[in-house]
Amino acid sequence: MTRKIVIEPVTRIEGHGKVTIHLNEQGNVDKTYLHVTQVRGFEKFCEGRLFWEMPVITPRICGICPVSHHLAAAKAGDAILGVKLTPTADKLRRLLHMAQMVQSHALHFFHLASPDLIFGMEADPAKRNVIGVIAAMPDAAVKGVKLRAFGQKIIEAMGHKRVHPNAAVPGGMNRALHSDKRDEILSQIDDIIADCQFAVDLFKDYCDKNGEVAESFADFKSAYLGLVDDNGNAEYYDGKLRLKDQDGMTLEDDVAPEDYLSIIEEKVEDWSYLKFPYYKKMGYPAGMYRVGPLGRLNVADGCTTPLADKEFKEFKKLGKNGILQGSLYYHYARLIEMLNCAEEIKALTGDKDICSTDIWLNSDCLNEEGVGVIEAPRGTLFHHYWVDKTGKMLKANLIVATGHNNLAMNRAVNEVAHAFIKDGKVTEGILNRVEVAIRCYDPCLSCSSHALGHMPLELTIHEADGSIRQVLRS
């Protein structure tokens, strides 16, 4: 039995989320599944449209990170046109993207994840929500709202709207940044950076008090994937792909984004509509890898800005060979990235060319295909388009961050279920622990629900003979 939810706009995994846990005759966990039960189909919707429409159409995939789809689509369009952006257009896109990262990471941590960390995973659900956070830590709650609003205001200033902005076009940008908007950003940025540092310190304090939990919760070995720049730093807008294994050994490096199919394949399972990408050289499911904040920092050698790089080096000391495996460390990595992106916003808005009107290039070229890749808040996002001689879309392939993490989220659910369900005993606290394991990955399922401390999940416990023993709903 499933519980149906409707989230607008629909994205790849927003909608139904269902966990099934099968018990053996002793009442202990036999196997688990995290099902995504909704058909997406955006690739099909795009067929027959013109490629330059994609930066406007594809952001409707998601109401939480539309900027990521907007920019990935524009980058795929750049590749079809065969253009290299002007320096100012490149900086404006990066500024838009950094604003998206700050607002999305702030939303996830302060509004959705922090109640479990502040009150405990088995605290009273009536208290374990963002309203509880406001009551217990009003200063932290205000900072969270302020950080998200700051990122959204930049998106609105550059793209006319806070959600589904219209700013990037194949070949560049469709509007310049006005000096008044630049000055407004610069007047606030030092306070924003300080608030990001506060958030990092908040999670470090949690680790100091709950080190064993942070290290062991949904802890398992996997590979990691992310973009890095020419110096090996974590890169969010451009760069090359790097893949490392569980011990920190580099499996793939300096892979051009357009060659992503040389290292990634996708598997379909009959119990979920979300496909399972994996590292093709290791096969399925051994080729499980993780993306997103933990994936990016695990493969990177550093961060591009001083405060974030200092935190990055401290973060890496917690792992073996620079690799951290515990799923709760996603939050730590996420907050370091938020600090990194806020510092990048300061550098970009302080650039002398940021208000230039040299923001678009024309082209007579029309390549048959183009790939756009970007690091969305939740991980590596691919847009791959094929077009005919008129620019009409023949085919699209989109691999979104939550898809990359599908194997890992299922593994996290399995780890938590095995650790806490014994002799058939299941409590609300255990159900929440399953939610926490999924929420570490910040899937769109969690981000878009916006419920107070709850993910719209249904947990079904099966007896050994297949009959349903118990159904719990959050």
Side-chain angles (χ1 to χ4, degrees):
M1 182 176 179
T2 62
R3 171 184 169 189
K4 185 176 182 178
I5 63 171
V6 178
I7 299 171
E8 296 290 347
V10 175
T11 73
R12 193 164 193 159
I13 68 158
E14 290 166 0
H16 293 220
K18 187 173 73 172
V19 172
T20 55
I21 300 175
H22 296 257
L23 302 184
N24 59 24
E25 293 180 351
Q26 289 71 45
N28 297 318
V29 176
D30 180 21
K31 53 189 176 183
T32 64
Y33 299 98
L34 166 61
H35 308 265
V36 175
T37 58
Q38 193 168 46
V39 177
R40 188 166 163 273
F42 250 82
E43 289 97 333
K44 203 65 180 175
F45 302 157
C46 293
E47 291 180 6
R49 306 296 302 211
L50 296 170
F51 77 90
W52 51 262
E53 294 180 301
M54 294 301 103
V56 177
I57 293 175
T58 57
R60 269 64 186 178
I61 293 169
C62 181
I64 301 301
C65 51
V67 172
S68 302
H69 289 286
H70 182 59
L71 293 177
K75 291 185 72 175
D78 298 338
I80 290 171
L81 292 177
V83 299
K84 181 180 180 182
L85 299 187
T86 68
T88 298
D90 182 85
K91 291 167 188 172
L92 287 175
R93 285 194 187 175
R94 289 177 181 272
L95 178 58
L96 186 65
H97 190 42
M98 297 302 110
Q100 158 76 0
M101 296 289 282
V102 169
Q103 73 87 14
S104 180
H105 282 354
L107 169 67
H108 179 76
F109 180 73
F110 286 99
H111 294 244
L112 301 175
S114 69
D116 296 310
L117 306 177
I118 293 171
F119 302 113
M121 300 180 198
E122 301 204 16
D124 182 356
K127 182 180 180 182
R128 195 185 61 221
N129 54 59
V130 69
I131 302 301
V133 173
I134 293 170
M137 300 182 67
D139 184 50
V142 169
K143 290 181 187 301
V145 172
K146 185 175 147 189
L147 283 166
R148 182 157 194 256
F150 175 76
Q152 287 186 307
K153 284 180 181 176
I154 295 176
I155 294 169
E156 183 179 28
M158 299 182 68
H160 193 58
K161 295 186 291 186
R162 296 186 176 192
V163 179
H164 301 144
N166 180 9
V169 293
M173 298 286 284
N174 62 17
R175 71 193 69 187
L177 179 67
H178 195 280
S179 59
D180 289 348
K181 298 296 183 183
R182 175 201 60 193
D183 294 344
E184 183 180 351
I185 296 169
L186 284 172
S187 70
Q188 300 174 36
I189 191 60
D190 286 339
D191 286 343
I192 292 299
I193 291 172
D195 289 345
C196 291
Q197 184 69 65
F198 168 86
V200 174
D201 293 341
L202 194 65
F203 194 84
K204 287 163 66 177
D205 181 63
Y206 174 84
C207 288
D208 288 342
K209 297 174 180 174
N210 305 274
E212 192 276 333
V213 175
E215 184 175 354
S216 63
F217 184 81
D219 168 43
F220 55 92
K221 295 180 178 179
S222 74
Y224 297 90
L225 177 73
L227 290 172
V228 296
D229 67 13
D230 291 341
N231 297 315
N233 295 314
E235 167 65 46
Y236 309 104
Y237 176 74
D238 221 336
K240 300 290 182 61
L241 294 165
R242 178 183 285 176
L243 183 75
K244 285 190 174 184
D245 72 4
Q246 59 197 33
D247 299 316
M249 182 178 294
T250 301
L251 300 172
E252 302 284 350
D253 201 7
D254 204 31
V255 178
E258 57 268 27
D259 294 331
Y260 72 101
L261 290 175
S262 69
I263 61 172
I264 297 172
E265 283 188 345
E266 295 178 279
K267 169 79 172 177
V268 175
E269 295 282 7
D270 61 7
W271 46 270
S272 179
Y273 281 115
L274 183 57
K275 292 189 284 190
F276 293 79
Y278 61 96
Y279 177 45
K280 63 193 301 182
K281 292 181 181 176
M282 295 179 67
Y284 180 86
M288 174 179 64
Y289 60 86
R290 287 186 263 183
V291 300
L294 188 63
R296 288 189 284 260
L297 295 200
N298 270 342
V299 303
D301 301 325
C303 290
T304 53
T305 56
L307 294 177
D309 193 55
K310 178 175 177 291
E311 296 296 341
F312 171 86
K313 289 181 169 58
E314 192 173 331
F315 169 85
K316 297 286 267 189
K317 290 178 182 176
L318 294 177
K320 294 179 181 177
N321 299 321
I323 299 294
L324 284 73
Q325 306 276 9
S327 295
L328 278 179
Y329 286 133
Y330 260 93
H331 299 306
Y332 194 176
R334 186 170 291 119
L335 298 174
I336 294 173
E337 286 191 342
M338 187 168 69
L339 177 62
N340 189 190
C341 293
E343 290 185 284
E344 285 284 358
I345 289 173
K346 182 175 183 178
L348 287 164
T349 48
D351 188 283
K352 62 180 178 59
D353 295 327
I354 197 65
C355 293
S356 167
T357 57
D358 183 19
I359 57 175
W360 183 74
L361 291 173
N362 199 359
S363 172
D364 294 327
C365 175
L366 190 67
N367 293 314
E368 293 180 348
E369 62 181 290
V371 176
V373 64
I374 200 166
E375 286 290 346
R378 293 155 193 82
T380 317
L381 169 66
F382 293 96
H383 280 218
H384 190 173
Y385 304 154
W386 291 262
V387 300
D388 67 12
K389 294 180 180 178
T390 68
K392 189 179 293 183
M393 295 281 291
L394 298 174
K395 179 183 174 184
N397 183 39
L398 312 181
I399 304 179
V400 299
T402 299
H404 293 290
N405 282 332
N406 199 1
L407 273 171
M409 290 190 295
N410 271 277
R411 177 66 179 271
V413 168
N414 189 267
E415 291 289 325
V416 172
H418 272 89
F420 293 98
I421 297 179
K422 303 294 182 186
D423 302 324
K425 184 179 180 180
V426 181
T427 65
E428 190 280 334
I430 292 175
L431 171 62
N432 185 54
R433 287 179 183 275
V434 173
E435 294 181 28
V436 171
I438 299 169
R439 194 175 292 125
C440 290
Y441 296 82
D442 189 16
C444 286
L445 176 67
S446 175
C447 282
S448 299
S449 65
H450 293 273
L452 297 181
H454 291 272
M455 180 183 292
L457 275 179
E458 182 177 278
L459 189 151
T460 306
I461 309 296
H462 290 263
E463 295 289 0
D465 62 3
S467 62
I468 295 176
R469 173 186 181 130
Q470 189 176 1
V471 177
L472 296 173
R473 298 186 180 89
S474 62

